């Protein structure tokens, strides 16, 4: 496995929490952070692949047709745009 050094700056509170969790897991802070980054990379890549599969060959060409079917009505209570929104 190839490794590279990367200077990481963390807020003190996050570093302290990560150090505490690493100690509870019985690993070094470096191992814990590397594992956390690997988990995040995996989650993002998995989500990206899921969304690509879910979209299939969709291009958005039919979106206007779909939106034309939406009734012209006032928004439901709680769905209004904020005052002054543009």
């Amino acid at each position: 496995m190839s490794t590279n050094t990367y200077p990481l700056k963390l807020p003190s509170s996050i570093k302290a929490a990560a150090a505490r969790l690493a100690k509870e897991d019985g690993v070094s802070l470096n191992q814990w952070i590397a594992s956390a980054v690997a988990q995040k990379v995996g989650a993002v890549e998995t989500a990206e692949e899921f969304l690509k599969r879910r979209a299939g060959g969709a291009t958005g060409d039919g979106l206007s047709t779909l939106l034309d079917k939406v009734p012209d009505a006032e928004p439901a209570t709680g769905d209004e745009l904020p005052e002054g929104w543009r």
Side-chain angles (χ1 to χ4, degrees), residues 16 49-50:
E49 288 303 313
F50 169 79

Side-chain angles (χ1 to χ4, degrees), residues 18-45:
R20 178 181 48 81
L21 292 168
K23 186 175 181 178
E24 288 175 9
D25 286 350
V27 297
S28 70
L29 177 58
N30 188 66
Q31 288 173 307
W32 195 89
I33 290 172
S35 176
V37 171
Q39 287 177 11
K40 181 65 174 186
V41 167
V44 169
E45 287 181 346

Side-chain angles (χ1 to χ4, degrees), residues 47-71:
E48 180 182 1
E49 288 303 313
F50 169 79
L51 293 173
K52 283 181 182 175
R53 280 194 313 275
R54 185 81 167 101
T59 61
D61 292 340
L63 184 57
S64 293
T65 304
L66 182 64
L67 290 175
D68 288 341
K69 296 179 182 181
V70 176

